[in-house]
Amino acid sequence: MTTQVFLDTVGEERPAVSPLKTGAPLEDIAVAGQWRLIWGRFIQHRVAVGAGIVIAVFYFIALFVEFLAPALPEASRPQYTYAPPQSIGLFVADESGGTRFQPHVKGYAIEVDPVALRRTFVVDDTKIVPIGFFVEGPTYKLWGVFAMNRHLIGPLNPTDPMYLLGTDKLGRDLMTRLIYGTRVSMSIGLVGVAISLCLGVVLGSLSGFYGGWVDMTIQRIIEVISSMPTIPLWLGLAAAIPLTWSPLQVYFVITLIVSLFGWTGLAREVRGRFYALRGEDFVTAARLDGSGERRLIFRHILPSLTSHILAVLTLAIPTMIVAETALSFLGVGLKPPVVSWGVLLQDAQNIRTVATAPWLLVWPAAAVVVVVLAYNFLGDGLRDAADPYES
Amino acid sequence: MGIGGMVAKLKADVADTGEPLLEVKDLSIDFHLRTHILHAVRNVSFALERGRTLCLVGESGSGKSVTARALLGIVDRQGRIAGGRILLHGDEGEVDIAQMTERSSELLRIRGGRIGLVFQEPMSSLSPVHTIGSQIIEALRLHRRLDARAARAETVELLRQVEIRDPETMVDRYTFEFSGGMRQRAMIAMALACDPDILIADEPTTALDVTTQAEILDLIKRLQVSRGMAMLLITHDMGVVAEVADDVAVMRYGRIVETGSVDDVFHAAQHPYTSSLLSSTVRLEQPRADIRDRAEALGEPVLSVRSLTKVYGAVSGWFGKSGPALTAVDDASFDLHAGENLGIVGESGSGKTTLGRLILRTVEPTSGSITYRRKDGTSDDVLALSKAGLKDYHRQVRLVFQDPFASLNPRMTVKQIVGDPLVVAGTLRGAALEHRVGELLDLVGIDPRSMERYPHAFSGGQRQRIGIARALALDPSVLIADEATAALDVSIRAQILDLLLDIQKRLGLSFIFISHDISVVRYFCDHVAVMHRGRIVEMGTAEEIVNNPREPYTQSLISAVPNPDPRNKRMLHRTRFKS
Amino acid sequence: AEAKESAYFQAQVDSGELPPIAERLPVNPLVITPTERPGQQGGDWNHALVGGGSLSMVVRYQGYEPLVRYTPDWSGLTPNVAESYEVNEDGTEYTFHLRQGMKWSDGHPYTTEDVLFWYEDIFLDQDATMGGHTWWYAGGEVGKLEVIDDVTFRVTFAAPNGFFVQQLAWARQDHMVLAPKHYLQQFHIKYNPDANTLAQERGMESWIALFQRENGLDDDNVFFQNSARPTLMGWMWQSAPGENTEQAIAVRNPYYFKVDTEGTQLPYFDRIVYQMVADPEVLLLKTLQGEIDMMDQYIATPANKPVLFDAQETGDFGFYTLKETAANVMVFQLNLNHPDPVKNELFNTREFRQALSVAVDRQALIDTVFVGQGAPAQPSIRPDDPLYNERLATQHTEYDPEAANALLDELIPEKDGEGFRLDSQGRRLALIFELDQTRTTFIDMMQLVVPMFQAVGIDAQVRSMDRSLWETRVRNGREFDATCHQFGANSGIAAMLDARYFVPFNGNALYAPGWNLYYTEPENPQAIEPPSEIKAQQDLYRDLLGTAGAEQQNAKMAQLLENAADQFLVFGVSLPPDGYGVVKNNMVNVTKEMPNSFGWPTPAPTRPEQFFKS
Amino acid sequence: MMGRYIVKRLIYMVPTLIGMSIIAFLIIQLPPGDYLTSMIARMTESGENVDPAQVARLREIYGLDDPVLIQYWKWISGILLRGDFGHSFEWNRPVSDLIWERMGSTLAISLASLLFVWAVALPIGIYSAVRRHSFGDYAFTFLGFLGLAIPNFILALTLMYVTYRYLGQSVGGLYSPQYVEAPWSWGKFVDLLSHLWIPIIVIGTSGTAALIRILRANLTDELNKPYVVTAKAKGLPEYKVVLKYPVRIALNPFVSAIGWVLPELISGVTITAIVLNLPTAGPLLLRALVSQDMYLAGSFILLMGVLTLIGMLVSDLLLALLDPRIRFT
Ligand SMILES: Nc1ncnc2c1ncn2[C@@H]1O[C@H](COP(=O)(O)OP(=O)(O)OP(=O)(O)O)[C@@H](O)[C@H]1O
Ligand SMILES: Nc1ncnc2c1ncn2[C@@H]1O[C@H](COP(=O)(O)OP(=O)(O)OP(=O)(O)O)[C@@H](O)[C@H]1O
Ligand SMILES: [Mg+2]
Ligand SMILES: [Mg+2]
């Protein structure tokens, strides 16, 4: 091989770098904290940011349900039971024969069929129900404090029917109920999720980290708890909780108690991973650095489980929202008059609805699915952002 | 390939020595980082020829590993090949590996089949949950289409060739039951398993004692001669370069600054970096830089180790059939005095790492005693320490891990890793902490601006220095450095060693310096203990051990130290130790 | 006509396992005139039971064979197991004549011995008796049963017992036809000294428990789970419910005592095949699919009507009408024996109940929940019934929130900041309605009613709960404020036998647990002595039950209803609209209109034994 | 060593089981009332009148007025001394008969759904991890979460309605009525298959999302590890690399979860089973609980406890099998 020397490189004092965009000045490279880095990476994840926005929107809705909903959740109109959804039109025919801009929905022509025991609805093109934004409608108390009657959207004449998503068996506006349901569904179950998560992570960590008798004890507890079917527990609790509590309080307490029983799965998974990780060199290194056990567990080992925990979390949230419906099946979930997505779904759990009023099933289910997906993609984005291997 | 074919190929190969098998042309690799683009490799060109060895040397972090991995189409996610070609010559003409997609079947055939790769960090590069054997067998079955039994037999044979003792049982052991050097050899066996045309070995002998290293290099040489295998050897050990290289390329800051035959480079270096590299090479003959009067320098013993023993039971038996117990450390006793540097050398797998860990009690000793004497004169029985006491002890006696990658938490940035002991000690926080971390990184020659990167985005040598920085963070009184400089190029190593000596002078700390590089041990240490199969077979001053070894094992060890001079290859005249 | 052998048994008769038909029938079989036309034997009746464990339903299809049964239109009584019976003038002496040669389903003769066995060894036996059977008592003494011969026995009462036979005809109340002595005696200590050992072998504590399990007289489930016990009914179990948890099959009883006008032994159907369905929705689907031959329980709700209506053609079925017999679609019942004295006083104020009643917009409820079917009404008697009392039926049904507010302003004028009324102690007056959560129509209606009550300042709330819990809290408890229920009867004899909303006399009068107890056990410390007008009403009712003769009975019942209108103890929404049942188009002899009741166990009195498929 | 470990675990099970049975029995007693209360509820529902005196007498005869602890002792001593699980009030049959009768179909359905879930979720989970953020990844995620977010019984109901409406097939249960009593035949088998798909899909869809996401999460972490690169450098095709190396480690959470797969499948899908009219153990348990048929319910819970304990042991052994680092610690 011939000898070659590249003397033009003699003076180089550091590795070659160049700015990200050609032409941009290469400033002194800023040092950022880990959190800022993670945030920076998260921001670049378009789907995740979108999901985050969706969730924010849902919480926004939950905050202003009274204003956003066109009607009141309890307001029922007998003649409109099982009314199908209306569609919005933008232009109406003028007297002069032309068209003019007027957002509206069409009213219904209703017939009662006493043999089949139902009302049949036909869209009546002649009944124009003009609608608008910031209209006056039924009075409500925002956050139970401020009496107001402005609604984001609604019929100009509050007595006209506007049922964009249809009505339920008692002639109540599904859209209103769906919006009201957001508040409960997006809040209550989450407390339980948070508690289970903490318990699962902490106890699983301790069990896997220490092994020995700690592990022995925690495992026995887990065995007892997880072999205990929840159904009898529900039934027992339902009977034990004082009746003077409102259904919402009862449900809240029940989710709390159940979360005390729901951590075992995560705990065992965490334990399994801890078992594998606790002997790693980097853990030993951290121990030699003087980290106490708490720091070892939470600062050094647990981050390795970020992905798993985020996945479990994003799975637990929909499970909690949906679980409410199953609990109702057993008679311990949320019940009317509380409005939640679970309650709406529970109302839809019969052939009658599936066959003749599918909108009662589709919209609440869609709401759950959207939130669930949004939480999941958000979790995904966070995972990716926290992943050291992602740039 | 049938036997006939092999013979034919063998003949052809020998005839064809010198014909280029792989040509790298103008290869550039960029890493897209958050704030900037790092040009880790720039316009690198070289060729690998049949039967010849190209040694790639250069500064730590100069892009050697990145280049080597790129030859197999392995590039980290943030990185991309920005230009250049990697032409592989074969029966069907030449193909450009740089153009191949990750999933192309052609690339799969080349990987492991035509090009074998020994990763720089064998310790982390093996699966933790599979036996060593199964990982090698898999490669054999894939490329050589052997049946399970033949593959196993071949694996045992390969392990034997790479000097693993008792290969029949060791095939069924798990990675974590192997010592660092054993893993490295297993990795080499894996790369050699399928008779590759080209072997890329990224610092394959960093964890090997010199005798084993010599055997391995011999093995490779034999294969090269018989099969015409081309080799790209990346190493920091100029001795090894001198011993095995045909050609040498010197890399710095992503560029090849000089190439040439080994003789030219060693004896007529053109580029100033090459010259400085050679001049900082530590020779065996070179005595300790800072000669002081030992008798006066040595104070009280800080650590007294007596009859320390560790017996491992095997883990591989699934239904209770535990294999024979293995005595990893056997009755080890020594004293470490304040301000003393104790070198530990010895065969790979002889229990050096284990000894270090026993002293820190990260592995519980089977028997023996350890006494630690503090500066204020109080002393502790380390084996009886309480949790809090142990924590304090760990603050004073620090460890640099042999496997830097595994010892760095992959989910923490370098800043957090190095800062962690400081945070725990509660001495610093906020900007002060950041400043101190920057200082420490600067001390070990790492750009502080990269401190927000995660460990995987560093080169092997850089990671090792991060480990050192972490160990130094707390001003310890004893530092156990397990192969702490193995992955460093000579100039940086010299710099680090001087740094350590400097600190020692200031703080009066003592070192237990586990190393395979006897030249470095001699340069750095006052006393040397030689380990063999778990026992300390000889102890003495560094000078005595190097110049006047008494035990036959020590003699063979010294004789195998490579000489960084291609005109005077000492390895060839080594004596082999037969136990 | 000469009876023909059934194809189903031909083989067994030929092999001598079974005697021929002529020897199996009683000397005087009961001849049934089919509703439409005589049919032929054979075929399966495809049926279903929901819930797995609830077997009371079986009474409706195969379990109604008392001595005397109700007529298909519930206008009177007709002989059944008993060939005939006589009553003396004042209703103190009842003589029954059984059928000569009548046999249990295993061929063993059914005689007065079986009747006496029940009377002496079950009903009057200190150990075996479960108590109850209040209609067997008159003048404070139990009726005396004496056997006259194999087929004749007499029951004598110390005082008139006007409704004795009607009570016997009531579903599941006549135990004299259910206890085969030759089978049950082996479990009775009197006949088998080893009965205790036998019980222990079967894992029971004592012979009593085993005997209970074997006779099943007090628990329908237990009764119908035993396929070993011989029966007089048209079908007997081949595989009883519970023996197989997926399906139960009953096959024809070879000794059944009825024939049609052509002499064919009944029943026509060889088998009834019950699928065990866990959820009514599945049953609905099966019905839609035409897998079920006849069904008027579980799924025949107003809500399901449109779906069933649309599937008539594909499922090849039609509808028949069920005359509702419940007193109202929903009866609001405040706890008139409330332990809280303030609430108790308020609830016992007629004006308070009246105010609540007029605060309810009944028409809205009817339009929403019953698609406009029905008219506002209080729990009462149907307008077409001779006992109809217009005042009782219609008072305080007009929706008038102003009037309600005015009334309430008199009673509890104070209100809190949110507009809710405060009771005399200054507490917000909460009115919690406790509901059984399976009653979804109640819950639907209450969702509409709660805002109506709130509009007049009453903090009404609803708590729905699991049924057992509801039973414990409401039926067996005292602490509840209010609840809603529905049953009771709205016409004829039934109204007299089940007058729960007009007089508190048994546990079904949920609104007055303490007064109920007082009616039966005035000495019981739990009993609460009612005010004089209620006490008078109870006495009147006791008098009515002792009265024999339809005319006197009607007169007394009319008085009772008049008093009830004065007392206005409970209030309702609407008389129930007629219900419906689903029947396959090929089922013959099904009556097109029938009452819906449990006492008249729909559709058993219309004689399922003569149903067949064309 | 292994043997000793297993024996040790088996010994631990005894106190656990006893504790479990006591808690189970107490929880069953938590709701007010007893079997007779529920019997009355059932009978009054259909319009029958029940005399309180009668009930009190029955309560005495059934021993329901004994203190809870005595009832517990009667039950547990029967099990321990005679292997007798007691008598079901509601079904009037020995509890063990009832349980065994349902176990076959329960296991069959559980295993079928489990296999379905694993067969669907493992490849998808791996695919999603390897091709992260690809169209397929998003599509499968969407479908998986759809299955998760729609309550099981609504999905079941809808599927049943669709089969009724468009396939005209007999709905609910495992067989059409004509096959329930029929002996085994090809026709019966086909009929079984045509009924089995709905429960499998319903139970399956709710489980796949979880499996997919967890596998994906864990696998993504593992995929970056150096040993995976090593495997790639050997020239293994990607699917083999992934399957042999990271998947094995990523399975850790699933193996941890095996412990309660069985009880979960028995009790977790109760509502689905009710809606679909499946002859599995869940609905029987629920009924037993609702009707307070305490010996049946108690024995069921005990049985599930035993299954859980066995499952946990198996899962711990498998964990050790999967990951040698865990062994014998
Ligand atoms: N994934 C990555 N992301 C960012 N930078 C990287 C990444 N991998 C390597 N680098 C950088 O690329 C440069 C070259 O690294 P490489 O591993 O090739 O060094 P090397 O020459 O092998 O050094 P050593 O002798 O220490 O092993 C280093 O500066 C390193 O920090
Ligand atoms: N966890 C373990 N279980 C069983 N055997 C082990 C374990 N760790 C190490 N060993 C064995 O103990 C012996 C000493 O290992 P050790 O790591 O101390 O060697 P070493 O001297 O550091 O070698 P090297 O220079 O190759 O790193 C080796 O034979 C190794 O196989
Ligand atoms: Mg490198
Ligand atoms: Mg080592």
Coordinates of all heavy atoms in Angstrom, one line a residue, chain A residues 216 223 226-227 239 265 268 271 273 280 307-308 322 355 361 372-373 376 380 383-384 390, chain D residues 12 20 32 132-133 138 142 145 149 154 161 213 216 218 221 256 260 308-309 312 315-316 325:
Chain A
M216 N -41.7 -12.1 48.8 CA -42.6 -13.2 49.3 C -43.9 -12.6 49.8 O -45.0 -13.0 49.4 CB -41.9 -13.8 50.5 CG -41.7 -15.3 50.4 SD -43.2 -16.2 50.8 CE -43.4 -15.7 52.5
E223 N -51.3 -12.5 45.1 CA -52.1 -13.8 44.8 C -53.5 -13.7 45.4 O -54.5 -14.0 44.7 CB -51.3 -15.0 45.4 CG -50.2 -15.4 44.5 CD -49.3 -16.4 45.2 OE1 -49.6 -16.8 46.4 OE2 -48.3 -16.9 44.6
S226 N -55.5 -11.0 43.5 CA -55.9 -11.2 42.1 C -56.7 -12.4 41.9 O -57.3 -12.6 40.8 CB -54.7 -11.2 41.2 OG -53.8 -12.2 41.6
S227 N -56.8 -13.3 42.9 CA -57.6 -14.4 42.7 C -59.0 -14.1 43.2 O -59.9 -14.9 43.2 CB -57.1 -15.6 43.4 OG -57.0 -15.4 44.8
A239 N -73.8 -2.5 48.5 CA -74.8 -2.6 49.6 C -74.2 -1.9 50.8 O -75.0 -1.4 51.6 CB -75.0 -4.1 49.9
G265 N -51.8 -6.6 38.5 CA -51.2 -7.0 37.2 C -49.9 -6.2 36.9 O -48.9 -6.8 36.6
R268 N -47.0 -7.2 39.1 CA -46.2 -8.4 38.7 C -45.4 -8.1 37.5 O -44.3 -8.7 37.4 CB -47.2 -9.5 38.5 CG -47.2 -10.4 39.7 CD -48.1 -11.7 39.5 NE -47.4 -12.6 38.6 CZ -46.6 -13.5 39.0 NH1 -46.2 -13.6 40.3 NH2 -46.0 -14.4 38.2
R271 N -42.4 -6.2 38.6 CA -41.6 -7.0 39.4 C -40.7 -7.9 38.4 O -39.5 -8.0 38.6 CB -42.4 -7.9 40.3 CG -41.6 -9.1 40.8 CD -42.6 -10.0 41.5 NE -42.0 -11.2 42.1 CZ -42.1 -12.4 41.5 NH1 -42.8 -12.6 40.4 NH2 -41.5 -13.5 42.1
R273 N -39.8 -7.3 35.5 CA -38.7 -6.5 34.8 C -37.6 -6.1 35.8 O -36.4 -6.1 35.5 CB -39.3 -5.3 34.2 CG -40.2 -5.5 33.0 CD -39.5 -6.1 31.9 NE -38.4 -5.3 31.4 CZ -38.5 -4.3 30.6 NH1 -39.6 -4.0 30.0 NH2 -37.5 -3.6 30.2
E280 N -28.2 -5.5 36.6 CA -27.4 -4.8 35.5 C -26.3 -4.0 36.1 O -26.4 -3.4 37.2 CB -28.4 -4.0 34.7 CG -29.4 -4.7 33.9 CD -28.8 -5.3 32.6 OE1 -28.1 -4.6 31.9 OE2 -29.1 -6.5 32.3
S307 N -41.7 2.8 28.7 CA -42.6 2.4 27.6 C -43.7 1.5 28.2 O -44.8 1.7 27.8 CB -41.8 1.6 26.6 OG -40.7 2.4 26.2
H308 N -43.3 0.6 29.0 CA -44.3 -0.4 29.5 C -45.4 0.4 30.3 O -46.5 0.2 30.1 CB -43.6 -1.4 30.3 CG -44.6 -2.5 30.8 ND1 -45.0 -3.5 30.0 CD2 -45.2 -2.6 32.0 CE1 -45.8 -4.2 30.7 NE2 -46.0 -3.7 31.9
V322 N -64.7 2.4 29.9 CA -65.6 1.4 29.4 C -66.1 0.5 30.6 O -67.2 0.1 30.6 CB -64.9 0.5 28.4 CG1 -65.8 -0.7 28.0 CG2 -64.6 1.3 27.2
A355 N -81.2 -2.1 16.4 CA -82.0 -2.3 15.2 C -82.6 -1.0 14.7 O -82.6 -0.7 13.6 CB -83.1 -3.3 15.5
L361 N -75.9 4.3 19.8 CA -74.8 3.4 20.0 C -73.5 4.0 19.4 O -72.5 4.1 20.0 CB -75.0 2.0 19.4 CG -74.0 1.0 19.5 CD1 -73.8 0.6 20.9 CD2 -74.4 -0.2 18.7
V372 N -59.8 7.4 23.5 CA -58.9 6.3 23.8 C -57.7 6.4 22.8 O -56.5 6.3 23.2 CB -59.7 5.0 23.6 CG1 -58.7 3.9 23.5 CG2 -60.6 4.8 24.8
L373 N -58.0 6.6 21.6 CA -56.9 6.7 20.6 C -56.0 7.9 20.9 O -54.8 7.8 20.8 CB -57.5 6.8 19.2 CG -58.0 5.5 18.6 CD1 -58.7 5.7 17.3 CD2 -56.9 4.5 18.4
N376 N -53.8 7.2 23.6 CA -52.8 6.3 23.2 C -51.7 6.9 22.4 O -50.5 6.7 22.6 CB -53.4 5.1 22.5 CG -52.4 4.2 21.9 OD1 -51.7 3.6 22.6 ND2 -52.3 4.2 20.6
D380 N -47.8 7.4 23.2 CA -46.8 7.0 22.2 C -45.8 8.0 22.0 O -44.6 7.8 21.9 CB -47.5 6.7 20.9 CG -47.3 5.4 20.3 OD1 -46.9 4.5 21.1 OD2 -47.4 5.2 19.1
R383 N -43.6 8.4 24.9 CA -42.6 7.3 24.9 C -41.5 7.6 24.0 O -40.3 7.4 24.3 CB -43.3 6.0 24.5 CG -42.6 4.7 24.8 CD -42.7 3.7 23.7 NE -41.8 4.1 22.6 CZ -40.5 3.7 22.6 NH1 -40.0 2.9 23.5 NH2 -39.7 4.1 21.6
D384 N -41.8 7.9 22.7 CA -40.8 8.2 21.8 C -39.9 9.4 22.2 O -38.7 9.3 22.0 CB -41.4 8.6 20.4 CG -42.0 7.3 19.7 OD1 -41.7 6.2 20.2 OD2 -42.6 7.5 18.7
E390 N -34.2 7.7 20.0 CA -34.8 8.5 19.0 C -34.0 9.8 18.9 O -33.6 10.3 19.9 CB -36.2 8.9 19.4 CG -37.1 7.6 19.5 CD -37.6 7.2 18.2 OE1 -37.8 8.0 17.3 OE2 -37.8 5.9 18.0
Chain D
Y12 N -46.2 -22.7 50.5 CA -46.8 -21.3 50.7 C -48.2 -21.3 50.4 O -49.0 -20.4 50.9 CB -46.0 -20.3 49.9 CG -44.7 -20.0 50.4 CD1 -43.7 -19.5 49.5 CD2 -44.4 -20.0 51.8 CE1 -42.4 -19.2 50.0 CE2 -43.1 -19.7 52.2 CZ -42.2 -19.3 51.3 OH -40.9 -18.9 51.8
M20 N -57.4 -16.9 51.6 CA -58.3 -16.5 50.5 C -59.7 -17.0 50.7 O -60.7 -16.3 50.5 CB -57.7 -17.2 49.3 CG -57.9 -16.5 48.1 SD -56.5 -16.7 47.0 CE -56.5 -18.4 46.6
P32 N -76.3 -7.5 52.1 CA -77.3 -7.9 53.1 C -78.1 -9.1 52.6 O -78.3 -9.3 51.4 CB -78.1 -6.7 53.3 CG -77.9 -5.9 52.1 CD -76.6 -6.2 51.5
R132 N -42.6 0.9 13.3 CA -43.3 1.9 14.0 C -43.8 3.1 13.2 O -43.0 3.5 12.3 CB -42.5 2.4 15.2 CG -43.1 2.0 16.5 CD -42.1 1.8 17.6 NE -40.9 2.6 17.4 CZ -40.6 3.8 17.9 NH1 -41.5 4.3 18.8 NH2 -39.5 4.4 17.7
H133 N -44.9 3.6 13.4 CA -45.4 4.8 12.7 C -45.7 4.5 11.3 O -45.8 5.5 10.5 CB -44.5 6.0 12.9 CG -44.3 6.3 14.3 ND1 -45.3 6.5 15.2 CD2 -43.1 6.5 15.1 CE1 -44.8 6.7 16.4 NE2 -43.5 6.7 16.4
Y138 N -50.5 2.2 12.5 CA -51.7 3.0 12.9 C -53.0 2.3 12.7 O -53.9 2.3 13.5 CB -51.7 4.3 12.1 CG -50.7 5.3 12.6 CD1 -49.7 5.8 11.8 CD2 -50.7 5.8 13.9 CE1 -48.7 6.7 12.3 CE2 -49.8 6.7 14.4 CZ -48.8 7.2 13.6 OH -47.9 8.1 14.1
F142 N -55.5 1.4 15.6 CA -56.9 1.9 15.6 C -57.9 0.7 15.8 O -58.8 0.8 16.6 CB -57.2 2.5 14.2 CG -58.6 3.0 14.1 CD1 -59.0 4.1 14.8 CD2 -59.5 2.3 13.2 CE1 -60.3 4.6 14.6 CE2 -60.8 2.8 13.1 CZ -61.2 3.9 13.8
F145 N -57.8 -0.6 19.4 CA -58.5 0.2 20.4 C -60.0 0.3 20.1 O -60.7 0.5 21.1 CB -57.9 1.6 20.4 CG -56.7 1.7 21.3 CD1 -55.4 1.4 20.8 CD2 -56.8 1.9 22.6 CE1 -54.3 1.4 21.6 CE2 -55.7 2.0 23.4 CZ -54.5 1.7 22.9
A149 N -62.4 -0.2 23.1 CA -63.2 0.9 23.5 C -64.7 0.5 23.5 O -65.5 1.1 24.1 CB -62.9 2.1 22.7
I154 N -71.9 -4.8 24.1 CA -72.5 -4.1 22.9 C -72.0 -4.7 21.6 O -72.8 -5.0 20.7 CB -72.2 -2.6 23.0 CG1 -73.0 -2.1 24.2 CG2 -72.5 -1.9 21.7 CD1 -73.0 -0.6 24.3
Y161 N -76.9 -9.4 16.4 CA -78.0 -8.9 15.6 C -77.6 -9.0 14.1 O -78.4 -9.4 13.3 CB -78.2 -7.4 15.9 CG -79.3 -6.8 15.2 CD1 -80.6 -7.1 15.4 CD2 -79.0 -5.9 14.1 CE1 -81.7 -6.5 14.7 CE2 -80.1 -5.3 13.4 CZ -81.4 -5.7 13.7 OH -82.4 -5.1 13.0
R213 N -50.2 -3.4 22.3 CA -49.6 -2.2 22.8 C -48.4 -2.5 23.7 O -47.4 -1.9 23.7 CB -50.5 -1.2 23.4 CG -51.7 -0.7 22.6 CD -51.2 -0.1 21.3 NE -50.4 1.1 21.5 CZ -49.9 1.8 20.5 NH1 -50.1 1.4 19.3 NH2 -49.1 2.8 20.8
R216 N -45.6 -4.0 21.8 CA -45.0 -3.0 21.0 C -44.1 -2.1 21.9 O -42.9 -1.8 21.5 CB -46.0 -2.1 20.3 CG -45.5 -1.0 19.5 CD -46.7 -0.2 18.9 NE -46.4 0.8 18.0 CZ -46.1 2.1 18.4 NH1 -46.0 2.4 19.7 NH2 -45.8 3.0 17.5
N218 N -42.6 -2.7 24.8 CA -41.4 -3.4 25.3 C -40.5 -3.7 24.2 O -39.3 -3.7 24.4 CB -41.9 -4.6 26.1 CG -42.4 -4.3 27.4 OD1 -41.7 -3.8 28.3 ND2 -43.7 -4.5 27.6
D221 N -38.3 -0.9 23.0 CA -37.1 -0.6 23.9 C -36.0 -1.6 23.6 O -34.8 -1.2 23.5 CB -37.5 -0.8 25.3 CG -38.3 0.4 25.9 OD1 -38.4 1.3 25.1 OD2 -38.8 0.3 27.0
S256 N -45.5 -12.7 33.1 CA -45.9 -12.3 34.4 C -47.4 -12.3 34.5 O -47.9 -12.6 35.6 CB -45.5 -10.8 34.7 OG -44.1 -10.7 34.6
W260 N -52.9 -14.9 36.0 CA -54.4 -14.7 36.2 C -55.1 -14.8 34.8 O -56.2 -14.4 34.7 CB -54.8 -13.5 36.9 CG -54.1 -12.3 36.5 CD1 -54.5 -11.5 35.4 CD2 -53.0 -11.7 37.0 NE1 -53.7 -10.5 35.3 CE2 -52.7 -10.5 36.3 CE3 -52.2 -12.0 38.1 CZ2 -51.6 -9.7 36.6 CZ3 -51.1 -11.2 38.4 CH2 -50.9 -10.1 37.6
T308 N -55.4 -19.4 40.1 CA -54.5 -18.3 40.1 C -53.1 -18.7 40.7 O -52.1 -18.3 40.1 CB -55.1 -17.1 41.0 OG1 -56.4 -17.0 40.7 CG2 -54.3 -15.9 40.8
L309 N -53.2 -19.4 41.8 CA -51.9 -19.7 42.4 C -51.1 -20.6 41.5 O -49.9 -20.4 41.3 CB -52.2 -20.5 43.7 CG -52.8 -19.6 44.8 CD1 -52.9 -20.4 46.1 CD2 -52.0 -18.4 45.1
M312 N -49.7 -18.5 38.8 CA -48.6 -17.6 39.2 C -47.3 -18.5 39.3 O -46.3 -18.0 38.9 CB -48.9 -17.1 40.6 CG -50.1 -16.2 40.6 SD -49.6 -14.5 40.9 CE -51.2 -13.8 40.9
S315 N -46.2 -19.1 35.9 CA -45.6 -17.8 35.3 C -44.3 -17.6 35.9 O -43.4 -17.2 35.2 CB -46.6 -16.7 35.5 OG -46.1 -15.7 36.3
D316 N -44.1 -17.8 37.2 CA -42.7 -17.6 37.7 C -41.7 -18.5 37.1 O -40.6 -18.2 36.9 CB -42.8 -17.7 39.2 CG -43.3 -16.4 39.9 OD1 -43.4 -15.4 39.2 OD2 -43.6 -16.5 41.1
R325 N -31.3 -14.6 34.0 CA -30.8 -13.7 35.1 C -31.8 -13.8 36.3 O -31.4 -13.4 37.4 CB -30.8 -12.3 34.5 CG -29.8 -12.0 33.5 CD -29.9 -10.6 32.9 NE -31.1 -10.5 32.1 CZ -31.5 -9.4 31.5 NH1 -30.7 -8.4 31.5 NH2 -32.6 -9.4 30.8

